[in-house]
Amino acid sequence: NIKPNTPLSPPQNQYQKVPTNIAVQDFLNQLKPEGFTAAAAAPELPYLLLRRGDGYELRRYPGFIGIETPYVRRDYGFGSLGAFTKGMDPLAPSIMKVWNEDDLNEEEPNDKTMTWPLKFTNPGEGTDAPDPPASAVEKAGDGQWKSISIARTPERVIAVRTFEDAAMAPVVRNADRELRKILKTDGLTPSEGSEKFV
């Protein structure tokens, strides 16, 4: 358990002792089945769990190459990326970017985007995204695939908060605000510019 408002270094000073019954209950909760969970559509992009806080996780994801498309409805995004990646074995999860209402600007593109990872950087191969598959390069941005582009994402640390409600834009924005508040309490600062989207 992390003490609120503690400096980031040294790390061992951030943690506080919790009652044994709370620690044991937390451990047992990790072992419980989570109820209904949808089957994964594909193998998941691997990550290293760096920290588990109260209501969130910090994960380090490797650099990856993916494909990205703007979308209005999620089913359209899934359909476009699914047709594009036939035979490519994309990875889960679908990564969606939704702009915060406060940062919408008519002069800049603010489309919602959906990204599917295709390939990730293996341990020891650096932090940049790997080269894209030739079949993706050949098709992206051309003809019926003109809205699909190659997306390179370097290794990064992501704060993740899960929620049970439908992932509609207002619900996601609210979960993002809650996550940012929790991170601030734990002495963590999201990267500059990340507040523009969720």
Side-chain angles (χ1 to χ4, degrees):
N1 197 359
I2 301 168
K3 294 180 212 171
N5 304 314
T6 56
L8 293 176
S9 73
Q12 59 271 24
N13 291 343
Q14 294 181 331
Y15 297 94
Q16 62 186 348
K17 188 173 176 119
V18 296
T20 304
N21 63 328
I22 291 174
V24 169
Q25 186 60 52
D26 181 64
F27 174 73
L28 293 174
N29 287 340
Q30 293 176 53
L31 302 176
K32 281 194 310 194
E34 295 183 25
F36 174 77
T37 53
E44 189 171 349
L45 185 66
Y47 63 86
L48 176 65
L49 180 63
L50 301 174
R51 174 191 269 182
R52 228 171 41 79
D54 187 13
Y56 72 95
E57 291 180 349
L58 282 185
R59 301 173 180 178
R60 177 179 292 129
Y61 282 94
F64 69 88
I65 195 78
I67 52 165
E68 181 176 270
T69 189
Y71 72 96
V72 175
R73 290 180 25 180
R74 280 180 288 178
D75 56 337
Y76 293 170
F78 280 110
S80 294
L81 295 180
F84 182 93
T85 58
K86 189 171 183 176
M88 289 188 204
D89 298 324
L91 302 165
S94 293
I95 302 164
M96 283 157 270
K97 182 187 216 178
V98 178
W99 294 92
N100 270 322
E101 290 173 336
D102 297 341
D103 290 298
L104 292 180
N105 182 345
E106 290 182 19
E107 296 162 16
E108 295 178 23
N110 51 29
D111 293 329
K112 296 184 286 186
T113 60
M114 181 182 293
T115 304
W116 283 10
L118 294 176
K119 221 168 109 179
F120 60 90
T121 304
N122 290 314
E125 294 179 354
T127 59
D128 293 331
D131 291 330
S135 56
V137 173
E138 187 178 301
K139 293 187 336 187
D142 193 31
Q144 74 182 51
W145 312 116
K146 66 182 176 190
S147 69
I148 295 179
S149 59
I150 303 292
R152 296 176 183 276
T153 305
E155 176 181 280
R156 63 172 134 182
V157 174
I158 305 284
V160 177
R161 179 171 173 82
T162 59
F163 52 91
E164 300 295 321
D165 297 327
M168 306 301 284
V171 173
V172 175
R173 288 181 183 118
N174 186 53
D176 179 67
R177 281 190 293 275
E178 290 173 356
L179 175 59
R180 289 175 187 281
K181 186 176 178 183
I182 293 169
L183 293 174
K184 186 175 182 180
T185 300
D186 285 355
L188 300 170
T189 306
S191 60
E192 190 174 322
S194 67
E195 71 283 350
K196 292 184 177 184
F197 52 85
V198 295

